[in-house]
Amino acid sequence: MHTLYSMQDSGNCYKLRLVMARLGIPFRIEETDILKGESRTPEFLAVNPNGKVPTLVLDDGRAITESNAAMWYLADGTQLLPDDAYDRAQVLQWMFFEQYSHEPYIAVARFWLKVIPGGREQKTGDQIAEWHSRGYAALDVMERHLDRADYFSGRACSIADVALYAYTHMASDGEFELSGYPAIGAWLDRVAAQPGHVGMGWRPAG
Amino acid sequence: MHTLYSMQDSGNCYKLRLVMARLGIPFRIEETDILKGESRTPEFLAVNPNGKVPTLVLDDGRAITESNAAMWYLADGTQLLPDDAYDRAQVLQWMFFEQYSHEPYIAVARFWLKVIPGGREQKTGDQIAEWHSRGYAALDVMERHLDRADYFSGRACSIADVALYAYTHMASDGEFELSGYPAIGAWLDRVAAQPGHVGMGWRPAG
């Protein structure tokens, strides 16, 4: 059985919980609280030298880090990853967009303004304004795409949608206002209505 | 023939020039100077709404953005992308590492300290110090991996190596000092010795 080193409150970890729930892949969780330094212990760094969760350890002991890379490994050959070469490139395109142009602003704003106690006081107004400016720019790009497509690649919900859903669906935690983004709102509802969908709080039994 | 919207001085664009050179894929270049706003014109935004280069337009007119996604499309089925599922996940892992933990510091330092005229004066000492701190942390992770492996995934040079080579080989432009990284130095030489390798200045004839 796979082991997921995961922090329950992390959207990047949620991506992998959601994909494994949707695909019916059994796994166990090793809860890893980055706020307590648990991703920086010698034991953890032996598993992932980059010191980050999520880290997926396969049943044969090999590890995969980076949430979107681990999603690709789990989803290849399933309905969450299309077969067509161009559609697959589009999945990657939107997952790289997520990690470069979306997560560093929308997830990071949530982390400092909501997750970490006293986080707001450690950041300047300029930093918070930059997260919002760049985060809204990413939401603008998404809205423009979703105005003419139901999903980010091909005709079905894929891991590109999961990647972008994770932090978009809780963007308000980072003080983003989504009411001006009706196409994003409808897409969030479509993703949450997929069979096997689970929320942030879910974890596997046992 | 594919068209690459490219800025010659961009490492992300260089990745695609290098991959197509190595694979013998013919293409034409549409030089796009982001410093002159050429990636923000209505014509360009119609091709890539995210307003960034590189953008690869296939011979059938469909576009792929995000350098690492476009490299995957071009390299799948070639010696630059392994067949094994775990090795492919490792390629993605290191490409996401590159875009999240490496490029935002090592490429961004180069951009402001070397590429953009008067860039240094627009940034604070704290910002420059943070690029260096996080950039060296990324180099530390790479050095640890390359201490025990010749390449980033599997036994051969892949697009993961190309992704990390692009900005690492000119890290000194961002005032990073690589003399303390012997494994990275040897790996840079291995990548540059691959058949068909071309440097930053290369462009296709015609």
Side-chain angles (χ1 to χ4, degrees), chain A residues 135-151:
Chain A
Y136 279 120
L139 294 170
D140 289 347
V141 170
M142 291 170 65
E143 180 77 8
R144 212 147 42 214
H145 177 84
L146 292 168
D147 252 346
R148 49 189 172 74
D150 283 349
Y151 297 104

Side-chain angles (χ1 to χ4, degrees), chain A residues 9-176:
Chain A
D9 205 20
S10 152
N12 284 322
C13 297
Y14 170 53
K15 294 174 188 174
L16 290 174
R17 299 195 301 266
L18 174 50
V19 161
M20 289 193 275
R22 286 207 46 191
L23 296 174
I25 297 172
F27 68 105
R28 56 182 288 278
I29 280 189
E30 192 74 51
E31 188 67 26
T32 307
D33 189 341
I34 64 169
L35 302 182
K36 293 181 181 156
E38 292 176 358
S39 64
R40 295 286 167 176
T41 63
E43 295 74 22
F44 189 87
L45 290 172
V47 177
N48 178 0
N50 201 15
K52 293 190 175 175
V53 291
T55 296
L56 180 69
V57 177
L58 307 179
D59 41 20
D60 64 12
R62 295 185 296 180
I64 303 174
T65 68
E66 301 291 334
S67 57
N68 292 347
M71 281 205 294
W72 183 281
Y73 180 86
L74 294 165
D76 201 7
T78 78
Q79 79 274 16
L80 285 178
L81 184 50
D83 290 328
D84 175 76
Y86 182 77
D87 290 345
R88 289 162 77 85
Q90 294 294 293
V91 168
L92 286 175
Q93 172 186 304
W94 285 106
M95 293 205 300
F96 281 107
F97 166 84
E98 189 262 338
Q99 284 288 287
Y100 195 86
S101 301
H102 181 284
E103 202 266 13
Y105 311 110
I106 295 177
V108 168
R110 173 178 179 266
F111 184 77
W112 290 100
L113 300 180
K114 168 93 174 183
V115 174
I116 202 167
R120 184 189 307 269
E121 290 66 38
Q122 300 177 49
K123 293 292 164 181
T124 66
D126 281 355
Q127 285 175 305
I128 295 170
E130 191 187 5
W131 297 333
H132 285 148
S133 160
R134 290 178 179 257
Y136 279 120
L139 294 170
D140 289 347
V141 170
M142 291 170 65
E143 180 77 8
R144 212 147 42 214
H145 177 84
L146 292 168
D147 252 346
R148 49 189 172 74
D150 283 349
Y151 297 104
F152 281 97
S153 175
R155 295 188 183 168
C157 183
S158 74
I159 53 173
D161 299 281
V162 174
L164 285 161
Y165 178 85
Y167 285 108
T168 305
H169 95 287
M170 46 190 183
S172 63
D173 285 356
E175 301 174 8
F176 288 92

